[in-house]
Structure formats: C-alpha cells, structure tokens
Amino acid sequence: MSVNSKSSIRAEKLRIKGTVQGVGFRPFVFVLAKSEGLTGTVLNDGRGVEAVVEGPSEALERFRTRLLKELPPLASIESVEAEDIPVEGRQDFVILESRSNSVSTVIPADAAVCEACLKELTDKNNRRYRYPFINCTHCGPRYTITAHLPYDRPQTSMKVFPMCPDCAKEYTDEKTRRYDAQPVCCNQCGPQVYLIGRPERGRAAITYTRRLIREGKIVAIKGIGGFHLCCDATNEEVVCRLRTLKNRPAKPFAVMAKDLESVKRECLVSEEQEKILTGHQKPILLLDKKEDGEETLCESIAPGNPKVGVMLPYAPVQLLIFTYDDGIEMPEFLVMTSGNISGAPICRDDREAEAELSGFCDCMLSHDRKIRIRADDSVMDFYEDKPYMIRRSRG
C-alpha cells in the first residue's frame, strides 16, 4: 500500500505483551507493517515485543486493528501499550536483534506438527521428507528447548546446530513460513535420532524401533518433553508385561492413535472433543469407549474403565513410528506412557533413561536435541460438554 503524502505522518512505539515470542510474531509484524506502507523496527526483549512504526495516521490505525485481528495461529496478545514518539523519517522496516532486560514475557508452548509440515514430511520430493524434527513458525518445540529469554536460537537447544545454507535462506526470507523460525533445521544441519547403546542412527534407528514394537517389545522413545515407554496397545501380552515391569497393576495407560479415524472406531468423539484432539496442543483426552466398537485396544489398557486416555501424534518422530517407508505394518494404537519410575519426573536425557528405564524396555530411541525443560503430556476431560484440565503440561 502506498504512503499517502497528504496524511499526517506519526510515529508510535508499541509494547506488546502475551504469547508473542517463538510464534512468528516478529515476521507477522514485519509483513503487516510493510503491507500498510509503514517503516520502523520490531524486536524481542524480556518483556515481550517492542515495535516502532512510522507512517500516515490512517495506516497506523489500520496496523493496530489488524495487529489484534490477524494473529499467527500460536500467538495471543494480553496488552498493547502505545506511545507517541518523534518522527525520524525512517526509510524501511527491519527486524532487530533481540534485547536482554528484565523478563516478564511468556515462553510459548510446544505445538504439534502443523498441516503444512505434515504435507512436507510425507512428500518424497521435499528435502525434509521423513525428517523427525521438521518444524516451522507455526509448529514445533518452544518451551521445552528454551534456556533463556528473549526467545532466539542462541538461547535454545538449537544453538549447537548451525543452519545449512538452505535453512538459512528460508530463515531470512520473509516469503517463507520459516522466516525467523528459531528451531528451523533439516536432515543436513539439525538433530538426529539414534539408539542408545546400539550403532543404528537415523532411518535404521527408526526402522529397528518399529520392528521391535511390531514384534511385541517395549521401547523408550524420546520426544519433545521427555521419554515415553511405548508398546503395541492391541497386544495383551506386552501390555501386561509393561504393567508388571512398572508395578502398575490397574492405573490406565495413555494410548496414542495413528489418526482420528482410528480413535472414532474405538471411542465416542463429539465435535468439541475432535477439535481438541486435532488442535495444536494435542493433549491426552479421556474418551468414552464405544459399546459396539471394534475392541482393537486390549482390556489391560484401562481395566474395568469405561474411558480411555487417547492422544494423536504431535511430534514428527511419533508420526514416523506409525507410518514409514520400510514395509513394516504397525498397529493403529500404541501405549505412550511417561518414561519414569514411580514418583519420579519424566526422563529427559540419555543418562536418566539408561539409569531408570533400562529395566522396562528392550531398546531406547533417543535424539541429540537437548530438552531444557521436561514436560509430561497434558490430560483433559469433558464435563457437561465443556473441557477441563486434569493435568496441565505440554502444549
């Protein structure tokens, strides 16, 4: 939009607070300001986002209105404070380096794989085909990889993974959805999966893990917030074995379903429950079992319980455990219970996993992206057709 020279030119400094770091907010402000013909700057600091915008009064008004209405999917604004500042004749709009000061902002939550990344993950012609750490501005780890604020790559676990030229190009190109996405990476420059205590890495590690699950074994899998203990949820023998090993005789196990269609074959799912199951938080949701369901899940998942805790895959590696191009046919439901000993927090690194989980599983699939803050899976239920939290954590 061209700048109307007849309009009065003003400049404002905006202090924006809320979930505005790690959610593509700076690129959003950049593109929005450019579309309104405004100049200025935007940066992260310990209190949120600071934006300086200069241009015609009408364009500033439109900018502030659109700022609230056209947010990125993961962003939320708690407050916007506007202050008039001197007009300096700024010539462009730029994203500045983050500034460290007193911290009072929110670390964004981890978000499940978005539809765009899911499409790339399964596209044989995409350079991130089957990459277990695919992410973009709208999805991927945030909270669990952050060491310090403001939220920038050097302050996260991704600091040790320098971007390759292709990723760096996406990161600096305002036309891509990975523009300024801090965890951006690919198979050439990002984290990798491997088996603890075995030589398999990458593809071989995933195939080995899938084969063991299919053969009725128990595996530990490192995800976004920690390790899960995983096995075939349709195999009574292995589920009973896991109960014995964990000394957990009756408490229900959470299960992860391959997709929504699988869930609907086993459970009653309302429209509101479907929105939560498929949303970007992907919690464990307690659902009523169908009386006339296919009874794919074995009885030992939730003995004598009319409900079962179900979630859908939220991390790329979980999607790959279900679907991979290695010819192994996997079950539609997997046990995904917290990888810990009774009363202890979820394991988040190899040392903890070897010390606590070795006696529970037949192999451990790990990766080299450090989990800074451990996070278990959130649990939700419904009461009078409204959701409520039982355990608030990841997502």
Side-chain angles (χ1 to χ4, degrees):
M1 183 177 293
S2 62
V3 175
N4 185 346
S5 59
K6 294 182 180 180
S7 301
S8 60
I9 303 298
R10 295 174 46 237
E12 290 183 337
K13 179 186 290 185
L14 304 178
R15 160 62 53 198
I16 307 160
K17 295 182 179 180
T19 305
V20 291
Q21 294 191 18
V23 292
F25 198 83
R26 286 178 297 176
F28 161 66
V29 171
F30 174 90
V31 172
L32 193 60
K34 285 277 194 177
S35 72
E36 291 292 350
L38 301 174
T39 58
T41 60
V42 63
L43 59 82
N44 281 346
D45 63 18
R47 294 176 293 169
V49 167
E50 178 187 285
V52 171
V53 285
E54 181 176 313
S57 294
E58 296 90 338
L60 288 176
E61 293 294 330
R62 287 194 300 270
F63 173 83
R64 275 196 266 112
T65 298
R66 294 176 62 191
L67 187 71
L68 298 173
K69 290 184 176 181
E70 301 176 17
L71 288 173
L74 304 180
S76 64
I77 292 177
E78 293 178 2
S79 65
V80 179
E81 300 172 5
E83 172 190 355
D84 286 324
I85 58 175
V87 173
E88 296 183 2
R90 299 168 178 84
Q91 298 299 306
D92 201 357
F93 198 94
V94 296
I95 296 178
L96 298 179
E97 291 293 320
S98 297
R99 184 170 61 208
S100 296
N101 52 16
S102 59
V103 175
S104 61
T105 192
V106 178
I107 302 175
D110 307 294
V113 184
C114 68
E115 288 299 318
C117 281
L118 179 58
K119 185 176 180 180
E120 292 177 347
L121 186 69
T122 56
D123 180 0
K124 292 182 178 180
N125 297 316
N126 191 278
R127 71 188 189 89
R128 291 187 177 89
Y129 174 65
R130 303 301 191 202
Y131 181 53
F133 302 93
I134 190 170
N135 68 83
C136 72
T137 305
H138 306 310
C139 71
R142 301 290 191 272
Y143 179 76
T144 53
I145 64 169
T146 300
H148 306 285
L149 287 173
Y151 177 78
D152 278 309
R153 194 179 182 98
Q155 311 273 49
T156 74
S157 300
M158 295 304 296
K159 177 182 179 180
V160 299
F161 299 102
M163 285 180 275
C164 68
D166 287 335
C167 285
K169 183 178 180 181
E170 289 177 292
Y171 180 82
T172 55
D173 184 354
E174 65 192 69
K175 298 181 181 65
T176 77
R177 75 174 195 286
R178 292 188 172 92
Y179 178 47
D180 204 43
Q182 303 309 319
V184 64
C185 57
C186 71
N187 196 55
Q188 301 303 313
C189 64
Q192 300 292 324
V193 295
Y194 57 86
L195 294 178
I196 300 176
R198 290 187 58 89
E200 290 88 349
R201 297 182 64 85
R203 178 183 176 84
I206 292 174
T207 293
Y208 186 87
T209 301
R210 282 165 48 84
R211 182 177 295 114
L212 284 193
I213 294 171
R214 185 60 185 153
E215 292 174 355
K217 306 295 185 182
I218 301 168
V219 300
I221 300 174
K222 184 180 178 182
I224 287 178
F227 279 84
H228 286 101
L229 287 171
C230 173
C231 66
D232 182 353
T234 69
N235 184 325
E236 182 76 26
E237 183 179 348
V238 70
V239 173
C240 287
R241 178 185 170 219
L242 180 58
R243 284 201 174 280
T244 300
L245 291 171
K246 286 206 75 175
N247 191 25
R248 187 170 169 173
K251 186 179 178 181
F253 281 137
V255 298
M256 181 172 284
K258 177 182 179 181
D259 50 34
L260 181 62
E261 289 67 32
S262 299
V263 179
K264 288 184 173 180
R265 283 195 289 271
E266 291 290 321
C267 304
L268 298 172
V269 183
S270 70
E271 186 176 338
E272 289 302 312
Q273 288 170 329
E274 181 174 330
K275 289 178 182 178
I276 289 175
L277 273 175
T278 59
H280 65 264
Q281 296 99 340
K282 294 285 193 303
I284 298 169
L285 188 57
L286 301 186
L287 297 173
D288 291 314
K289 299 175 184 176
K290 277 185 175 179
E291 291 185 2
D292 59 348
E294 297 184 5
E295 298 184 358
T296 301
L297 291 171
C298 66
E299 175 62 26
S300 293
I301 290 295
N305 198 317
K307 291 191 174 186
V308 62
V310 183
M311 60 181 158
L312 293 178
Y314 54 85
V317 69
Q318 294 163 351
L319 288 159
L320 298 180
I321 293 298
F322 279 105
T323 306
Y324 209 55
D325 53 356
D326 55 12
I328 299 172
E329 185 177 345
M330 296 293 287
E332 293 185 351
F333 292 92
L334 300 174
V335 169
M336 280 286 180
T337 189
S338 301
N340 58 355
I341 57 176
S342 180
I346 188 171
C347 295
R348 66 173 176 175
D349 58 36
D350 292 3
R351 179 186 58 82
E352 291 179 352
E354 288 184 285
E356 298 184 23
L357 304 182
S358 295
F360 297 156
C361 61
D362 301 293
C363 85
M364 291 180 278
L365 178 67
S366 188
H367 60 74
D368 53 2
R369 184 177 67 200
K370 187 173 183 178
I371 296 174
R372 298 283 182 176
I373 304 173
R374 69 186 86 223
D376 219 322
D377 296 308
S378 295
V379 182
M380 295 183 71
D381 200 352
F382 266 68
Y383 178 71
E384 294 183 348
D385 297 325
K386 294 181 180 179
Y388 69 91
M389 298 297 305
I390 295 176
R391 180 175 70 194
R392 183 185 297 274
S393 189
R394 176 198 52 78

